[in-house]
Amino acid sequence: MVCCEKCKQLLAYRQKDGTASLAKHKRSCQTTDNDIDTDNNSIKHLVKQTQVTEYYSSKKSHIVPKIIREKVKTACTEFTALDSRAFETVAGDGFIKMAQSIFDAGRHFSPTSSISVKEIIPAPVTISRHIDQIYENKKNELIRLSYCGLALRFITEDYKLHNFILGCILYDIDSQSANNIRLFVDAQLLSFGLTLNNKIFVVTDNENKMRAAFKEKCTRIGCSIHYLSKQLEHSFTSEEIDRTFVRCTEIQKLFDNVKKVVTHVRRTHRQVKLKQKLQLYSDTRFNGAFYMLNVFLNVFDDIGSVLSSGYIDYLTGVDKDLLEEVCQFLIVFDNAINQLSEEERPTMHQVLPIRQLLIDHCEVIFEDSSELKELKLFLGERIRSVWILQDQHYICTFLHPRLKRFDTAPHEKDIAFNLVKQELLARISTPSVTTDTASKAVATDGTVIIDSTAPVNSNNLLDRCFDKPRPITSSDATPVKELNDYMALVVADEQSDDILLFWKNHEKTFPTLSKIVRDFYAIPASNTIVERLFSASKNIVTDRRTSLAEAKLNKLLFLKKNLFTLREIKKDKLNKNAEQSKQKLFIPDGESIVIIEDVDSAISSPTIKRMKPNDDNDEDDGDLLYDIEHMYDSEESDNIFLNF
């Protein structure tokens, strides 16, 4: 190394050129005589002397000289002023990463090199073209970095519907094959002490890989909204589906013109002049075409004032009357999706009636335009052929007292009746009748017969030596009688609004049907509870929390969705235990009583809990995982539903 005595700059010395580098540096040395302290004839240390370690990579952090900090501060201030940028721009991740890249690029050049920053920073057109490449790369990374949402849903013995989010877990397996998906889900459920079996219903979307993943050791139910939304998507965007032409040409032209205008207005930031924000079409949003078209219709008269001249032709290509007709037709579909996606009330019984309603809604009438007739014919046929009904849909519809007649679909009534009858017979074992010595049998007509063949202890000799006691016909309910009584039941409309309350009130009258209701009505019509879980994550992962790890995100979502429900369940449990302790308190020998008071429950009476002498008295009664496992392992395990 050689050193400039004037500025104390270190330069590389190479044998082939000797001190040529120092000679070149001397001619371009920036230090002047004004930089020399006249008092002691020494150089002012405006710049820290270059160290040898700066010529190779070092992990040691360096202190930035004050003069460099001042120059950077001035440059950033001028940047925000000259380009009218927000002050927060210089704190953004993108800006810092760009500045670091430029800084690292400068380290590859010698201090004497004269490099213009313009030679490093690409042109705006180049950046615009590079967006596509980055998008594809990041899209592939996102595909490999998927998340799996799990939800659990069941109905308790007192006919309360509960939803639980089990997690939003990072899917860290290379491929999304059916086998890998099943292994991943089984592993996640096992962490909660849960396993799939034939008594558990699984609701997923209708992709082939999901069908294959859950075809064994469970009963898979297809998401009804996915069936419906997919057909709406095809009607507006597809030319051919299943080797059949869609034939909705005019409607698709209308859709394309609206989409181009909306995209243009959103990109030019001129929508601030409109009274309502335009909605871009998204195929991942249920009935996304309706939301885009409906908002466009609301601002149709004002949108011309914010368009550039090149997009006026697209606007004139939109027939307002046809647009209004299509939006009016799609409102029914939007209402159907909203009703089937409700989480707090049972929805499985609504699938068959709503499906029939939409089929009837697609019937062509005389007043329809030719364009709308094409749309109706396509959607009506697709709903019939693609939206598949399963046995559970028929059973749930039949077990709703206002829907059991099947007035709008009489051809489906016999199917539903037979399915419910089969389910009843499968659940009924030999009926039990309380007698002292009688053995029981079931007659072919369904009545219960008691055969008294045991010795009769009587003082009457005739009873002991003549006619034997005849079989006694019991009046207890049988499967067929229970079903017939349910069909004969007349219920006022207001009494069946809360379907779970209705069956709770009629549990003693229809005991077996009530159990079927608890099992089947826990199944939702769709898996929107998981779809909304992904939407809720954007409220947690904000601009200020982008570094949240996937495990932490999962825990936050779990607490956000489940904490309130678990507290309510715990509160009900404490109330129930307290009520039972008031009625009867029995303490076996060798046990002690521990009084447990829950601070969060706001219950005035304490809970009495029996403890063995060797029990650990400081047991945590509020463990979330224990609550879920306890509910699953209880007698209510037959009506568990899992949502993916």
Side-chain angles (χ1 to χ4, degrees), residues 235-254:
S235 64
F236 288 99
T237 62
S238 302
E239 296 181 0
E240 182 180 348
I241 182 66
D242 295 337
R243 299 182 180 180
T244 304
F245 290 104
V246 175
R247 302 188 186 283
C248 296
T249 308
E250 296 302 321
I251 295 294
Q252 291 186 359
K253 287 182 179 178
L254 172 74

Side-chain angles (χ1 to χ4, degrees), residues 222-452:
C223 175
S224 298
I225 294 181
H226 276 89
Y227 282 123
L228 181 57
S229 185
K230 203 64 179 177
Q231 306 320 308
L232 290 169
E233 177 187 342
H234 289 320
S235 64
F236 288 99
T237 62
S238 302
E239 296 181 0
E240 182 180 348
I241 182 66
D242 295 337
R243 299 182 180 180
T244 304
F245 290 104
V246 175
R247 302 188 186 283
C248 296
T249 308
E250 296 302 321
I251 295 294
Q252 291 186 359
K253 287 182 179 178
L254 172 74
F255 174 82
D256 290 338
N257 287 332
V258 172
K259 184 178 179 181
K260 289 177 181 178
V261 173
V262 170
T263 303
H264 168 69
V265 174
R266 291 286 296 262
R267 286 180 177 176
T268 55
H269 305 287
R270 297 179 180 177
Q271 62 180 5
V272 293
K273 299 181 180 180
L274 301 176
K275 60 184 180 181
Q276 191 172 354
K277 182 179 180 180
L278 295 175
Q279 296 290 327
L280 286 173
Y281 170 73
S282 174
D283 54 6
T284 60
R285 181 178 185 178
F286 296 134
N287 206 9
F290 167 72
Y291 288 102
M292 183 184 72
L293 296 176
N294 191 53
V295 174
F296 188 86
L297 176 62
N298 294 337
V299 298
F300 185 85
D301 296 332
D302 302 327
I303 202 167
S305 60
V306 299
L307 283 182
S308 302
S309 58
Y311 285 84
I312 295 297
D313 292 339
Y314 296 120
L315 180 61
T316 56
V318 177
D319 186 342
K320 185 179 180 181
D321 293 335
L322 177 60
L323 177 63
E324 187 173 359
E325 188 178 22
V326 171
C327 291
Q328 192 67 30
F329 171 71
L330 294 178
I331 287 178
V332 179
F333 288 86
D334 188 56
N335 293 335
I337 290 174
N338 291 334
Q339 195 160 329
L340 291 176
S341 62
E342 190 174 359
E343 296 180 12
E344 303 303 324
R345 303 180 65 181
T347 54
M348 194 65 170
H349 64 281
Q350 302 178 17
V351 174
L352 194 154
I354 288 179
R355 176 180 178 272
Q356 186 61 44
L357 171 67
L358 295 178
I359 291 175
D360 296 341
H361 183 60
C362 291
E363 292 292 331
V364 175
I365 60 177
F366 178 77
E367 293 81 4
D368 293 335
S369 63
S370 58
E371 296 85 357
L372 184 60
K373 289 179 180 179
E374 293 178 348
L375 180 61
K376 282 187 171 184
L377 290 173
F378 171 77
L379 283 176
E381 180 60 30
R382 292 294 296 180
I383 292 174
R384 288 189 186 93
S385 60
V386 178
W387 191 348
I388 306 300
L389 294 176
Q390 296 176 246
D391 293 350
Q392 292 76 17
H393 295 117
Y394 287 96
I395 293 174
C396 289
T397 303
F398 187 85
L399 292 179
H400 194 288
R402 274 178 22 192
L403 305 175
K404 62 184 179 182
R405 304 292 177 186
F406 283 76
D407 291 336
T408 58
H411 55 287
E412 308 281 10
K413 182 178 180 180
D414 291 340
I415 300 175
F417 183 88
N418 292 330
L419 288 172
V420 174
K421 185 176 180 180
Q422 291 175 13
E423 188 68 25
L424 268 173
L425 296 175
R427 289 169 180 256
I428 294 293
S429 58
T430 304
S432 60
V433 179
T434 304
T435 58
D436 291 337
T437 58
S439 60
K440 310 153 190 99
V442 182
T444 55
D445 61 352
T447 59
V448 177
I449 296 175
I450 303 176
D451 185 10
S452 299

Side-chain angles (χ1 to χ4, degrees), residues 8-25:
K8 301 301 181 183
Q9 177 71 47
L10 285 174
L11 302 173
Y13 173 81
R14 292 174 294 185
Q15 186 176 5
K16 65 178 181 179
D17 55 6
T19 59
S21 60
L22 183 58
K24 293 180 180 178
H25 169 74

Side-chain angles (χ1 to χ4, degrees), residues 36-191:
I36 300 177
D37 190 344
T38 55
D39 295 337
N40 52 16
N41 200 30
S42 62
I43 298 176
K44 290 182 180 180
H45 295 283
L46 299 180
V47 181
K48 187 178 179 181
Q49 181 175 339
T50 306
Q51 303 295 322
V52 176
T53 53
E54 294 188 19
Y55 287 88
Y56 57 87
S57 177
S58 174
K59 295 182 179 179
K60 183 179 179 181
S61 60
H62 299 277
I63 299 176
V64 180
K66 183 178 180 181
I67 188 172
I68 300 297
R69 290 179 177 272
E70 291 295 327
K71 287 184 178 181
V72 173
K73 181 174 65 175
T74 301
C76 289
T77 305
E78 293 177 353
F79 162 72
T80 57
L82 294 175
D83 293 351
S84 300
R85 304 294 181 184
F87 301 143
E88 292 293 328
T89 303
V90 297
D93 293 338
F95 180 86
I96 292 176
K97 186 175 181 179
M98 180 195 69
Q100 184 66 48
S101 299
I102 297 176
F103 182 82
D104 293 341
R107 297 175 60 186
H108 291 279
F109 303 98
S110 66
T112 59
S113 301
S114 179
I115 301 296
S116 174
V117 178
K118 291 184 178 180
E119 298 180 18
I120 301 177
I121 299 179
V125 176
T126 305
I127 296 175
S128 177
R129 293 173 180 173
H130 194 55
I131 287 292
D132 298 335
Q133 181 180 346
I134 294 180
Y135 168 78
E136 293 298 330
N137 293 337
K138 298 304 178 183
K139 180 181 178 181
N140 293 331
E141 290 180 10
L142 181 61
I143 292 174
R144 293 192 297 268
L145 189 68
S146 303
Y147 282 81
C148 175
L150 302 176
L152 180 143
R153 177 178 168 117
F154 67 97
I155 297 176
T156 61
E157 290 182 347
D158 57 349
Y159 292 85
K160 289 185 179 180
L161 178 63
H162 288 301
N163 294 299
F164 284 99
I165 296 298
L166 298 185
C168 181
I169 308 104
L170 177 66
Y171 183 86
D172 53 1
I173 304 179
D174 293 337
S175 66
Q176 295 186 10
S177 63
N179 185 52
N180 286 342
I181 291 175
R182 182 58 182 266
L183 291 175
F184 180 83
V185 171
D186 287 344
Q188 299 304 323
L189 293 178
L190 191 60
S191 66

